Amino acid sequence: MNNVIVLPLLIPLLTAVILIFLSKFTSFQRWFSVISVITNMAVTIFIINQVHESGIQTLHMGGWLPPYGIVFVADMFAALLVLTTLIASLGCLLYAFQNVGAEREKYYFYPFFQFLIAGVIGSFLTGDLFNLFVCFEVMLISSYALIVLGGTKRQLRETLKYMLINIISSAMFVAGVAYIYGTVGTLNLAHLSVRVAEVQQAGILSVIGIFFLIVFALKAGLFLFFWLPGSYNAPPIAITALFGALLTKVGLYAITRFFTLIFYHDPSTVQVVMGWMAAATMILGGLGALAYKDLGRILNYNIVISVGFIAFGIAVLRRMP
């Protein structure tokens, strides 16, 4: 029965592959995408019920156990985030019918939309650090295509900036993966928690924790958000809404997982740094929103403010009695 937890990832992947070969049939692509998302919502609700009734669901792909296997894990946190992703995606998808334009629909908008959903869902369900990186890249490559789709001058300019910052953060992510594997000898998230507890988090592990905080802060737009307002203002509103709802939140999810599951033994330094970053993000985001009269820019700075607000909650989580 645990095999079902990989379906929320496989459904959008298979949908995207099918839609690639049917790019000329716009009406079919629209409604097939809607049916796919609704079907995925039903599957996710079933998984949530399974988690509620039987506890955390774990799938070891190919039967390989940690630290070697590909692991998918559905706890209540991840499952609810997957359902939230699908609800937000459905709303953006329905609005896209009237917003993205016929030309973009013909040039693989719906396949890239589905690939992006697959990357987001995979990030929530994976139980392995390297697979988290892979799912991040699936999500980001799809977002590169969606942000530039249409080929306007502003889109091309903002896409270069968006790609540059994400390529840098992805390179840092790979380096962080190498550092932590070299230190504790595993990439399975649950196993990482055990190994870090065994060797005690200090010295190099605290440095690695700060390193990952910078990586995920870049991806989430936490403090280092200079790229976000312009990049998110370039594509049509439906795509901007999808990015604001999902992409930054995946970075925040990764921060939550890392600093509640792995790097939780010496939280004071990371919490202080994260708290100041979150406060600065909220303040600077508010100033940015006040500085513009363009509604799109104002909304994008409100996305920045929300990132800071969520991150501040994460930072104070372990300080609460």
Side-chain angles (χ1 to χ4, degrees), residues 75 92 137 146 151 162 182 194:
D75 59 7
C92 294
E137 292 307 298
L146 288 173
Y162 178 75
V194 174

Side-chain angles (χ1 to χ4, degrees), residues 164-219:
L164 178 61
I165 194 68
N166 279 292
I167 287 171
I168 291 172
S169 63
S170 294
M172 293 175 65
F173 197 164
V174 173
V177 169
Y179 288 144
I180 198 166
Y181 184 80
T183 304
V184 298
T186 184
L187 294 178
N188 179 273
L189 295 179
H191 198 202
L192 275 170
S193 182
V194 174
R195 292 288 294 124
V196 170
E198 289 175 349
V199 301
Q200 298 299 316
Q201 181 185 335
I204 186 62
L205 284 173
S206 294
V207 173
I208 293 172
I210 294 292
F211 192 82
F212 275 111
L213 176 61
I214 295 171
V215 170
F216 296 133
L218 278 169
K219 293 185 180 295

Side-chain angles (χ1 to χ4, degrees), residues 229-240:
S231 297
Y232 280 21
N233 203 40
I237 295 297
I239 298 175
T240 299

Side-chain angles (χ1 to χ4, degrees), residues 13 18 70-71 74 76 82-83 98 102 112 165 192 206 215 235 253 270 279 291 293-294 298 301 304:
L13 284 177
I18 292 170
I70 298 174
V71 180
M76 189 59 73
V82 171
L83 181 60
Q98 303 299 323
F112 285 125
I165 194 68
L192 275 170
S206 294
V215 170
Y253 168 81
V270 173
K293 295 183 179 179
D294 177 65
I298 293 172
Y301 275 104
V304 171

Side-chain angles (χ1 to χ4, degrees), residues 30-94:
R30 288 179 174 182
W31 297 111
F32 190 70
S33 295
V34 169
I35 292 169
S36 172
V37 173
I38 293 174
T39 302
N40 212 355
M41 289 173 63
V43 172
T44 303
I45 291 171
F46 175 79
I47 293 172
I48 291 172
N49 183 65
Q50 285 294 110
V51 173
H52 177 71
E53 296 291 335
S54 306
I56 297 173
Q57 305 292 298
T58 304
L59 174 64
H60 301 280
M61 298 292 289
W64 289 89
L65 297 177
Y68 306 106
I70 298 174
V71 180
F72 290 95
V73 180
D75 59 7
M76 189 59 73
F77 183 37
L80 288 174
L81 284 176
V82 171
L83 181 60
T84 305
T85 296
L86 293 168
I87 293 171
S89 300
L90 181 61
C92 294
L93 181 62
L94 293 173

Side-chain angles (χ1 to χ4, degrees), residues 2-20:
N2 285 2
N3 291 339
V4 75
I5 69 175
V6 80
L7 286 181
L9 172 62
L10 292 180
I11 289 172
L13 284 177
L14 294 175
T15 302
V17 172
I18 292 170
L19 293 179
I20 287 173

